[in-house]
Amino acid sequence: MKNFFSNLFGRNNDPKSIVSFDVMDALYSHLYYVESQFEFEMKNVHNAVSVNLFTFPTSFDGYEETQKELEKNGFKNSYEVLNELYKKINIDPITPDKIEQELEFDYLHIQFYTKPPERIKKEMKYIFHNFYIFFCCTNSLETNDFRIMYKFGHFFDYIKGILEAEFIDINTPKNDIQEIGFNEFKTILQGICQYVNIEIPEGVELPSQENLLVDEEVTAETFEEFINLVSRGNAEDKLVKKQSKKLLKNFKKGPDNYHESIEAHWGLFDSVDCWNSDWKFDPEDAEYFISEMIGQDLNFDYPEETYSHNLFPYIQSALEKLDLELMTYDTHGDNYLFFVANKSDVGRILALSELTKIEVNQL
């Protein structure tokens, strides 16, 4: 749930702007009640737009890698980080009694690429923008406002990265990179609303009058691309083409062909290096089967008595060093069907998953 404190600054809800509390609150509700993260493709936007709901402390405490980042940056826990951020954005700090109650504090993280300004086009092909949205209360006991922090570029230490973000006014960029990012952010928000069916309030001046989503036709080539990505290019061409034709045929029959479609999906993953596991599995199983899938030994550190889904952060941390990520086909049962993808392909795999209705998920 949202827990926030009052501050003394004006409410941030311009009725003509899409960057308003009403839109942000609707997006928060979607992330909280429907899905805590998603990625999608937009027209004229390089790679996928990423939208995530994170929570202090649960998104940070309890993960070995994050604990190392906290300690490296001089913090004992994530509440201390949150108070540093609140200090930047003029929100009252979390008091010790609130910390003792282990209350949770949510924020949104939106990421996307734009082309760079002309002056740096030779050095950079794209700029990666990070927007962090923190909710608060203005002259009210209930949440009715928000603050935005911003940082451009990739970072490998998340704690350090968010601490380096600056408190911004979306209408007053300080340089040409911010000007491009801030303007595009408004269009990105419109695309997000279109993607998850958020109704934009009347009177809002829309950044674009066009359909912002990629209206991509599903063909046999679509399925070929999907198979090649989930197999990391290791599937035989003849098998890829055969599977793609079968998948397309079932896809065109629509939802009434559910059982045959699922059977075809399993046929697809039979042609890919996968690991079909019960929902309960040991770390030794994970090391063995993932090593088999990637063709090299994978070992990872984990706390004692850690099993099943609690191992995911440690597995992903080890795979990240190889630019890989563990994903799963949604079996809608009590088992996992794991596969390993190139990290750079994850966004496209998720986009193709939406197109082809082959349900795969990040872990």
Side-chain angles (χ1 to χ4, degrees):
M1 62 179 290
K2 285 184 283 189
N3 291 279
F4 306 105
F5 299 97
S6 62
N7 57 66
L8 303 175
F9 295 83
R11 188 163 176 242
N12 201 357
N13 196 44
D14 180 352
K16 293 184 178 181
S17 175
I18 196 165
V19 188
S20 65
F21 175 77
D22 293 335
V23 172
M24 294 297 186
D25 190 49
L27 174 57
Y28 170 83
S29 294
H30 177 85
L31 289 164
Y32 187 83
Y33 292 107
V34 181
E35 53 184 339
S36 62
Q37 60 180 21
F38 60 87
E39 290 187 339
F40 70 102
E41 302 280 338
M42 276 181 65
K43 291 178 181 176
N44 303 316
V45 177
H46 172 68
N47 222 327
V49 176
S50 175
V51 184
N52 288 273
L53 174 68
F54 289 114
T55 303
F56 285 95
T58 52
S59 295
F60 300 91
D61 295 353
Y63 294 97
E64 185 178 2
E65 287 298 314
T66 312
Q67 285 298 319
K68 289 178 181 177
E69 289 182 6
L70 287 168
E71 293 172 9
K72 188 167 63 175
N73 288 284
F75 297 98
K76 296 177 183 176
N77 58 62
S78 61
Y79 283 118
E80 293 182 354
V81 175
L82 183 58
N83 275 338
E84 283 297 309
L85 298 174
Y86 276 4
K87 189 187 303 181
K88 274 190 174 185
I89 56 181
N90 300 314
I91 297 178
D92 292 341
I94 311 301
T95 55
D97 63 308
K98 303 296 183 185
I99 295 174
E100 286 179 10
Q101 294 176 52
E102 297 184 344
L103 295 184
E104 295 185 340
F105 301 82
D106 302 326
Y107 70 98
L108 315 183
H109 186 181
I110 299 174
Q111 300 169 293
F112 59 89
Y113 289 91
T114 67
K115 292 183 179 179
E118 284 290 336
R119 64 181 175 84
I120 56 173
K121 279 190 174 179
K122 291 183 179 179
E123 291 81 25
M124 303 181 72
K125 291 184 177 180
Y126 296 98
I127 299 287
F128 191 57
H129 302 272
N130 297 271
F131 287 82
Y132 309 90
I133 294 90
F134 293 83
F135 292 91
C136 57
C137 309
T138 296
N139 302 323
S140 170
L141 295 177
E142 298 196 6
T143 306
N144 67 345
D145 205 348
F146 65 97
R147 298 281 181 266
I148 303 179
M149 297 185 73
Y150 168 81
K151 179 179 171 60
F152 77 87
H154 293 274
F155 44 86
F156 297 100
D157 184 326
Y158 191 88
I159 298 297
K160 182 180 179 183
I162 196 171
L163 286 167
E164 290 176 346
E166 61 177 303
F167 181 23
I168 58 105
D169 178 344
I170 200 72
N171 297 311
T172 56
K174 296 177 182 177
N175 53 53
D176 51 3
I177 291 178
Q178 288 192 358
E179 183 175 5
I180 291 171
F182 292 7
N183 285 334
E184 186 67 8
F185 181 63
K186 299 170 186 176
T187 307
I188 295 292
L189 269 182
Q190 183 180 341
I192 291 171
C193 290
Q194 184 181 345
Y195 181 71
V196 296
N197 296 314
I198 290 174
E199 185 176 351
I200 298 173
E202 290 185 16
V204 168
E205 296 175 355
L206 296 178
S208 175
Q209 299 302 317
E210 300 178 10
N211 169 26
L212 297 174
L213 303 185
V214 176
D215 191 14
E216 195 172 336
E217 182 184 0
V218 177
T219 65
E221 287 73 23
T222 309
F223 287 102
E224 286 181 24
E225 182 185 3
F226 183 83
I227 297 170
N228 282 320
L229 290 180
V230 299
S231 68
R232 289 177 288 121
N234 293 324
E236 295 182 6
D237 288 344
K238 186 176 179 180
L239 186 59
V240 169
K241 292 188 180 298
K242 181 180 177 181
Q243 288 284 358
S244 298
K245 288 177 182 178
K246 183 176 182 180
L247 289 163
L248 179 62
K249 181 180 178 181
N250 281 296
F251 176 84
K252 287 182 174 180
K253 291 180 181 178
D256 293 339
N257 194 47
Y258 176 77
H259 293 292
E260 286 186 34
S261 293
I262 296 301
E263 185 180 341
H265 297 171
W266 279 91
L268 179 163
F269 285 102
D270 278 343
S271 65
V272 174
D273 283 331
C274 289
W275 168 30
N276 186 14
S277 171
D278 183 18
W279 69 273
K280 294 184 291 185
F281 58 89
D282 295 326
E284 293 80 10
D285 294 331
E287 289 183 332
Y288 174 79
F289 286 108
I290 295 173
S291 295
E292 288 286 303
M293 287 192 285
I294 65 175
Q296 65 183 87
D297 288 339
L298 181 83
N299 300 109
F300 54 90
D301 296 323
Y302 51 88
E304 289 186 15
E305 304 300 320
T306 305
Y307 303 99
S308 304
H309 66 277
N310 291 322
L311 290 166
F312 290 155
Y314 309 103
I315 295 170
Q316 300 291 35
S317 179
L319 285 172
E320 188 173 12
K321 296 172 184 176
L322 303 173
D323 293 322
L324 299 172
E325 182 170 330
L326 188 67
M327 303 184 73
T328 183
Y329 170 69
D330 191 345
T331 66
H332 292 281
D334 60 354
N335 64 308
Y336 289 106
L337 185 59
F338 295 111
F339 65 96
V340 176
N342 291 318
K343 202 159 186 63
S344 59
D345 293 333
V346 169
R348 181 59 179 164
I349 288 172
L350 293 171
L352 289 171
S353 168
E354 292 283 344
L355 279 173
T356 60
K357 308 305 179 188
I358 301 174
E359 298 180 65
V360 300
N361 300 307
Q362 287 183 284
L363 297 167

